[in-house]
Amino acid sequence: MEKILVIVPTYNERHNIELLIGRVLEVDSRIDILVVDDNSPDGTSQIVEAIASENKRVNLIKRGSKMGLGSAYITGFKYALKQGADIIIQMDADLSHDPKYIPQFLQAIRSADLVIGSRYVEGVNVVNWPIERLLLSYFANVYTRIVTGLPVHDATAGFKCFKREVLESIDLDEIISDGYCFQIEMTFRCWRKGFKIREVPIIFVDRHSGSSKMSKRIIWEAVWKVWWLRLRAILGRL
């Protein structure tokens, strides 16, 4: 039976994490979940520990400090490969990524190597975002396509499903991006390696509780890092 692992990075998500874990696990009995917590001061990891003590499908990695989204996913990917996962899904902890789409991902991955839960493949499917945040996200994706040539409508998407072979082919220690750009870099590297990418339309709803981790640093990193990715590709270093 295929092993499916869902990876969820957390930082101050105590109001969302228990509900998310329950919704993910009820989707498919093959699914295990890994929470990578960056020492959340609100006690997120303690909630996960309590759940994990009663459910062997729930796993936790506690890190000593806030090390960033990209780093958390890399930690999760390495864990997934070590544990023999065949399919790896990444998603946010804030309930903006609805677990109800996971069965569609698992169906789509049969004919693809990377499946992206896309907000923009069929128009704009975002609910409750301020207009300035929506415009930033939408045009960041337009900008990314123009600069890199990446044929994806939602390169900054954080709801994804990978086949094991994709992550095995990438030197995860070379990934240095975070936030928006981490999502772009992972998808770009997959595309450059010739893997088949498929976008599945989702409706993205703004976070259920807590505060966004978006910052100006993350935005500016994405602005210049896409040019770095293009240059590396031209030089044959990706």
Side-chain angles (χ1 to χ4, degrees):
M1 186 170 66
E2 285 181 319
K3 295 183 66 174
I4 304 168
L5 182 70
V6 173
I7 302 170
V8 182
T10 55
Y11 185 78
N12 287 347
E13 297 289 355
R14 66 173 290 117
H15 298 296
N16 302 314
I17 193 61
E18 185 173 5
L19 180 57
L20 177 67
I21 289 173
R23 288 183 178 178
V24 168
L25 294 184
E26 71 183 10
V27 166
D28 193 308
S29 62
R30 297 171 295 172
I31 291 177
D32 286 355
I33 189 166
L34 170 68
V35 175
V36 182
D37 185 72
D38 274 2
N39 196 30
S40 297
D42 73 345
T44 300
S45 64
Q46 286 90 328
I47 294 173
V48 179
E49 278 183 316
I51 299 171
S53 69
E54 298 180 355
N55 191 331
K56 64 180 181 180
R57 296 169 62 194
V58 180
N59 306 275
L60 172 67
I61 294 178
K62 293 192 295 183
R63 306 200 300 174
S65 62
K66 190 177 181 182
M67 300 169 66
L69 181 72
S71 173
Y73 274 128
I74 295 301
T75 296
F77 291 158
K78 290 180 177 179
Y79 174 92
L81 295 177
K82 186 176 181 180
Q83 296 298 316
D86 301 297
I87 297 173
I88 299 94
I89 297 171
Q90 64 167 70
M91 64 189 301
D92 291 346
D94 60 10
L95 301 175
S96 58
H97 297 152
D98 196 326
K100 73 178 183 181
Y101 293 109
I102 291 177
Q104 295 180 42
F105 285 20
L106 296 178
Q107 181 63 34
I109 202 70
R110 303 301 172 200
S111 58
D113 302 299
L114 166 61
V115 175
I116 297 173
S118 177
R119 297 161 291 184
Y120 306 122
V121 71
E122 292 184 353
V124 177
N125 292 317
V126 177
V127 178
N128 292 339
W129 256 6
I131 187 63
E132 61 271 16
R133 179 75 184 274
L134 176 58
L135 291 174
L136 172 64
S137 174
Y138 182 82
F139 285 108
N141 280 285
V142 173
Y143 174 77
T144 297
R145 288 199 301 274
I146 292 172
V147 173
T148 66
L150 182 62
V152 168
H153 292 83
D154 197 352
T156 62
F159 199 2
K160 296 178 180 176
C161 179
F162 297 88
K163 281 183 177 173
R164 175 186 183 87
E165 294 77 12
V166 176
L167 297 181
E168 286 179 323
S169 75
I170 296 173
D171 186 346
L172 297 174
D173 291 325
E174 283 191 354
I175 307 294
I176 61 173
S177 303
D178 199 20
Y180 263 164
C181 204
F182 171 78
Q183 311 297 2
I184 296 170
E185 182 173 350
M186 285 297 298
T187 301
F188 186 74
R189 286 178 181 269
C190 292
W191 175 59
R192 289 287 301 177
K193 287 182 176 292
F195 288 110
K196 185 175 181 180
I197 301 172
R198 182 174 172 186
E199 291 184 90
V200 171
I202 67 167
I203 296 176
F204 178 96
V205 180
D206 197 17
R207 66 169 36 249
H208 179 266
S209 181
S211 58
S212 172
K213 313 304 189 295
M214 181 58 63
S215 68
K216 290 183 179 180
R217 181 190 65 81
I218 290 173
I219 295 169
W220 283 110
E221 178 193 30
V223 169
W224 71 265
K225 191 65 73 67
V226 292
W227 289 100
W228 177 84
L229 290 172
R230 179 177 178 178
L231 179 60
R232 295 271 294 181
I234 291 172
L235 296 176
R237 295 180 181 176
L238 283 181

